Amino acid sequence: MHRRHFLTGFAALLPASAAEPWTAIQGVCAWPNLQRLTDGTLVATIFNQPCHGEWEGDLDCWASRDDGMTWKFHGRPAPHEPRTNRMNCAAGLARNGDLVVLVSGWSNREAAGHPTPATRGQVLKPWVCRSADGGRSWTHTTPFPDPPQVGTGLDNQFIPFGDIEQAADGSLVVSVYTRSNDGRNNGVLRSRDDGRTWGEWAELNPIGNETAILHTGGGNWLAASRMFERAGEAHHIELFTSTDDARTWRRRGPLTLPGQITGHLLQRRDGSLLVTYGNRNVGNFGVDARISRDGGQRWGAPFRIAAAPQSDCGYPATVELPSGKMVTVYYTRVSPARHYEMRAAQWS
């Protein structure tokens, strides 16, 4: 496969057919995970503070029953412990219909409004949070595996990201990464008891972190991984594939240009694949998307879903509605002050 197949069409940025994006939740940095429950409710799982984890805060669930137009606080999967926060998460539906959220965070945080450098804290071991009533009430358990004690896993903890997916063998799979000052390492973990316990680490991208995974059927998988290839180089998203049910992965080529990062993957009901991602290129801030109609072999020209006022934006998540329209949620900084919000867009 040739890298040009992925980059075809970058010269054109086409507009989606979309309503003007609207403010969904104010005062949150968000990085939303978005799930559509069996009753049609949309649930966004977000960090509830207007900062990048610099002080104490919780992981909250907000719900929309009108396809993303309005949102209400729904539940709190992970109330933080004193001097910590709970913020980095992965979420998805278990086979029995429960909502499962894995969430880590940072130690040594000050009270809200008092910034703390990230270097003063350590990554917390993830909690396994579970809701049987659509995100209103939650239980959480603390056992979670440690990373391999080599490289970035040494004295570190896993950070979960993106959607929890069901594998062909019936297990659940989640993307996780480790972080240190000199590198990243991304891989996946499995659960064979419907999301209650996790293990079976398999490396995906040794020089990436926030990676969206998608099971497209029959043990075939795609991953959109944020790359840290060269020091000082703007990050981009690289495509990886697996044909053995997420056990081994192969790097295929770039999905975005530098400065276009942290994506989400979705398989639509018509079989096409959608990647949405944040665009932090100067003068072009916002959320963009690309579509593949051949299983990820080739990707169409990028198109714009929503503009953003600042470069500190993105981390989109998208679901498909019964009408065939998409709902995308994302975060953006609105002003130089600590004014963040989650925004939503409905488009086709």
Side-chain angles (χ1 to χ4, degrees), residues 106 109 116-122 181:
W106 289 87
R109 304 292 90 182
T116 311
T119 53
R120 280 182 51 188
Q122 292 183 318
N181 292 332

Side-chain angles (χ1 to χ4, degrees), residues 136-209:
R136 295 177 186 83
S137 61
W138 293 85
T139 60
H140 73 260
T141 55
T142 55
F144 205 82
D146 293 317
Q149 291 298 294
V150 294
T152 60
L154 187 64
D155 298 323
N156 214 330
Q157 295 295 335
F158 285 126
I159 301 174
F161 180 82
D163 291 340
I164 297 171
E165 292 277 310
Q166 188 173 150
D169 67 2
S171 63
L172 301 183
V173 179
V174 68
S175 172
V176 293
Y177 64 93
T178 56
R179 179 177 179 177
S180 73
N181 292 332
D182 59 357
R184 281 93 172 151
N185 188 19
N186 165 254
V188 297
L189 295 173
R190 282 184 127 78
S191 172
R192 298 192 179 276
D193 56 7
D194 212 20
R196 293 174 176 83
T197 61
W198 295 83
E200 299 181 51
W201 158 260
E203 187 175 81
L204 192 159
N205 178 9
I207 51 174
N209 65 1

Side-chain angles (χ1 to χ4, degrees), residues 213-234:
I213 58 173
L214 176 69
H215 182 209
T216 59
N220 296 307
W221 292 70
L222 298 180
S225 185
R226 181 175 177 175
M227 293 292 289
F228 293 79
E229 196 154 22
R230 298 178 183 87
E233 182 179 77

Side-chain angles (χ1 to χ4, degrees), residues 107-348:
S107 68
N108 201 10
R109 304 292 90 182
E110 300 294 341
H114 299 276
T116 311
T119 53
R120 280 182 51 188
Q122 292 183 318
V123 176
L124 300 175
K125 186 185 288 287
W127 290 343
V128 180
C129 307
R130 196 175 187 100
S131 173
D133 58 6
R136 295 177 186 83
S137 61
W138 293 85
T139 60
H140 73 260
T141 55
T142 55
F144 205 82
D146 293 317
Q149 291 298 294
V150 294
T152 60
L154 187 64
D155 298 323
N156 214 330
Q157 295 295 335
F158 285 126
I159 301 174
F161 180 82
D163 291 340
I164 297 171
E165 292 277 310
Q166 188 173 150
D169 67 2
S171 63
L172 301 183
V173 179
V174 68
S175 172
V176 293
Y177 64 93
T178 56
R179 179 177 179 177
S180 73
N181 292 332
D182 59 357
R184 281 93 172 151
N185 188 19
N186 165 254
V188 297
L189 295 173
R190 282 184 127 78
S191 172
R192 298 192 179 276
D193 56 7
D194 212 20
R196 293 174 176 83
T197 61
W198 295 83
E200 299 181 51
W201 158 260
E203 187 175 81
L204 192 159
N205 178 9
I207 51 174
N209 65 1
E210 295 156 332
T211 298
I213 58 173
L214 176 69
H215 182 209
T216 59
N220 296 307
W221 292 70
L222 298 180
S225 185
R226 181 175 177 175
M227 293 292 289
F228 293 79
E229 196 154 22
R230 298 178 183 87
E233 182 179 77
H235 309 159
H236 70 280
I237 297 174
E238 195 87 3
L239 184 71
F240 288 74
T241 61
S242 172
T243 58
D244 60 1
D245 214 16
R247 291 174 175 83
T248 62
W249 295 85
R250 179 183 176 187
R251 182 178 174 181
R252 306 311 294 261
L255 272 175
T256 69
L257 292 172
Q260 301 171 359
I261 57 169
T262 311
H264 177 265
L265 290 166
L266 174 71
Q267 186 169 36
R268 301 181 64 221
R269 287 192 296 275
D270 66 5
S272 63
L273 303 173
L274 174 74
V275 59
T276 49
Y277 53 90
N279 187 332
R280 297 183 175 183
N281 296 150
V282 175
N284 199 26
F285 307 140
V287 175
D288 298 336
R290 303 182 75 188
I291 289 176
S292 173
R293 302 189 185 279
D294 60 5
Q297 297 292 315
R298 291 173 174 80
W299 295 81
F303 56 92
R304 171 55 49 94
I305 295 173
Q310 305 244 336
S311 63
D312 191 356
C313 68
Y315 286 72
T318 303
V319 299
E320 184 176 14
L321 301 176
S323 66
K325 289 186 176 182
M326 305 290 115
V327 173
T328 297
V329 294
Y330 60 100
Y331 92 98
T332 185
R333 190 173 186 172
V334 181
S335 70
R338 293 186 182 276
H339 182 182
Y340 286 92
E341 60 190 36
M342 188 184 92
R343 293 182 176 180
Q346 190 179 116
W347 57 278
S348 60

Side-chain angles (χ1 to χ4, degrees), residues 45-49 55-61 73-89 101-106 109 124-131 135-142:
T45 309
I46 61 173
F47 181 56
N48 66 5
Q49 296 295 313
W55 56 64
E56 293 181 343
D58 313 298
L59 194 76
D60 286 351
C61 277
F73 176 78
H74 202 51
R76 180 160 291 164
H80 75 281
E81 296 172 322
R83 298 296 303 276
T84 72
N85 61 36
R86 289 285 163 174
M87 50 178 275
N88 299 111
C89 78
V101 173
L102 310 180
V103 54
S104 66
W106 289 87
R109 304 292 90 182
L124 300 175
K125 186 185 288 287
W127 290 343
V128 180
C129 307
R130 196 175 187 100
S131 173
R136 295 177 186 83
S137 61
W138 293 85
T139 60
H140 73 260
T141 55
T142 55

